[in-house]
Amino acid sequence: MKIIKANDYQSMSRMAANIISAQIIMKPDCVLGLATGSSPIGTYDQLVEWYKKGDLDFSQVSSINLDEYVGLSADNDQSYRYFMNTHLFDRVNIDKTRTFVPNGLELDNEKACKAYNEIIKEHGPIDLQLLGLGCNGHIGFNEPGEAFEKETHCVDLTQSTIEANARFFASMDEVPKQAYTMGIKTIMQAKKIVVVVNGKAKAQAVKDCFFGPVTPKVPGSVLQLHNDVTVVGDAEALSLVEGLY
Ligand code: F6R
């Protein structure tokens, strides 16, 4: 595992974008595993900037996202498909028919997960998986306690996540109660993994995931068992592991 320290969010984003950009240059028809959330937004902005300058070409790239809320459509601004369209896909020359996000509108959980596993089998393996880290060490929607050997599955969101999301919706009924997520088994099959992590709130998660015991209680700790993981963190996120890498 490599840990790279960046001074701040912007520099973290540029470094992560550099790694992704190298992947696309080395293998133009690569499969990227992508994440949503605040951590990778700067990385996507940087990739878009390089694309606009003519330095990057996404025309042969495919992408497979980590997760999606159950019940949300692509045009719901809280859906992860909407997030990916607005932050990356609509801003570069990627072929949208080769960008995959679990189908939030498929309410039959088993069917949705099976379909996504088939997509991953057909288009994978993922060449480079980009990950963010939850404050509790989660990766994707794999929360503490999830078995390491799972593929795509449906998770019940915790009450605290539902309550935190409530502010984005008109009523409590509209707040998603479940999500589909790529499982840890699939994440671990990616050839290369890049984790972007910033801010003080993530410092304990960084320590637990990369310097603590490997345990399902800390989902991200499984990454210690992968042979090509690069963690790009800002100074705050790496503040508790200073001198350990
Ligand atoms: C997003 C995802 C999540 C986030 C994590 C960190 O697709 O799967 O695991 O990466 O919750 O979120 P941020 O970056 O918002 O702190």
Side-chain angles (χ1 to χ4, degrees):
M1 182 176 61
K2 285 181 223 80
I3 297 194
I4 302 175
K5 182 174 162 184
N7 288 332
D8 53 23
Y9 181 78
Q10 224 184 346
S11 127
M12 172 196 86
S13 302
R14 221 170 21 245
M15 285 181 189
N18 259 307
I19 299 170
I20 296 170
S21 149
Q23 172 69 62
I24 298 171
I25 291 166
M26 299 296 281
K27 188 178 176 194
D29 61 347
C30 65
V31 181
L32 299 178
L34 298 176
T36 60
S38 55
S39 313
I41 288 178
T43 305
Y44 296 146
D45 285 343
Q46 184 63 75
L47 290 172
V48 169
E49 199 180 311
W50 287 333
Y51 162 73
K52 284 187 176 154
K53 278 190 180 154
D55 289 342
L56 264 182
D57 176 14
F58 287 82
S59 61
Q60 297 179 62
V61 171
S62 305
S63 72
I64 303 178
N65 258 78
L66 284 170
D67 38 21
E68 179 60 286
Y69 288 119
V70 177
L72 298 197
S73 63
D75 58 0
N76 184 311
D77 63 6
Q78 294 307 313
S79 76
Y80 287 172
R81 162 57 79 176
Y82 186 94
F83 176 102
M84 289 310 303
N85 285 349
T86 51
H87 288 287
L88 186 66
F89 302 153
D90 286 341
R91 303 163 76 198
V92 297
N93 66 336
I94 198 163
D95 175 352
K96 276 238 204 115
T97 64
R98 284 208 306 268
T99 64
F100 302 99
V101 180
N103 181 5
L105 288 184
E106 176 54 76
L107 301 181
D108 179 335
N109 297 349
E110 215 173 297
K111 208 167 151 192
C113 295
K114 192 166 172 264
Y116 208 56
N117 283 334
E118 272 159 20
I119 286 171
I120 296 167
K121 272 187 197 101
E122 188 188 336
H123 297 269
I126 290 167
D127 291 295
L128 185 156
Q129 175 68 54
L130 181 64
L131 291 179
L133 214 56
C135 293
N136 61 0
H138 75 210
I139 48 177
F141 262 119
N142 297 283
E143 298 292 349
E146 287 277 8
F148 284 164
E149 58 273 7
K150 282 195 184 168
E151 296 186 314
T152 308
H153 57 285
C154 183
V155 291
D156 294 326
L157 302 180
T158 60
Q159 195 53 33
S160 65
T161 304
I162 294 169
E163 279 163 19
N165 286 344
R167 65 186 191 281
F168 300 118
F169 295 87
S171 76
M172 202 59 184
D173 284 350
E174 290 175 36
V175 186
K177 312 288 185 300
Q178 293 184 314
Y180 296 131
T181 184
M182 197 187 272
I184 288 179
K185 178 178 174 186
T186 312
I187 293 173
M188 289 296 280
Q189 284 167 348
K191 293 186 195 162
K192 177 189 272 296
I193 296 179
V194 177
V195 186
V196 278
V197 62
N198 65 287
K200 249 199 179 80
K202 301 284 176 72
Q204 190 61 47
V206 168
K207 190 171 180 199
D208 293 344
C209 287
F210 305 116
F211 297 93
V214 176
T215 162
K217 287 182 196 153
V218 183
S221 66
V222 74
L223 299 173
Q224 292 179 47
L225 305 178
H226 193 281
N227 66 7
D228 191 350
V229 174
T230 303
V231 182
V232 189
D234 75 351
E236 287 188 342
L238 299 186
S239 59
L240 296 180
V241 299
E242 209 60 61
L244 297 180
Y245 61 93

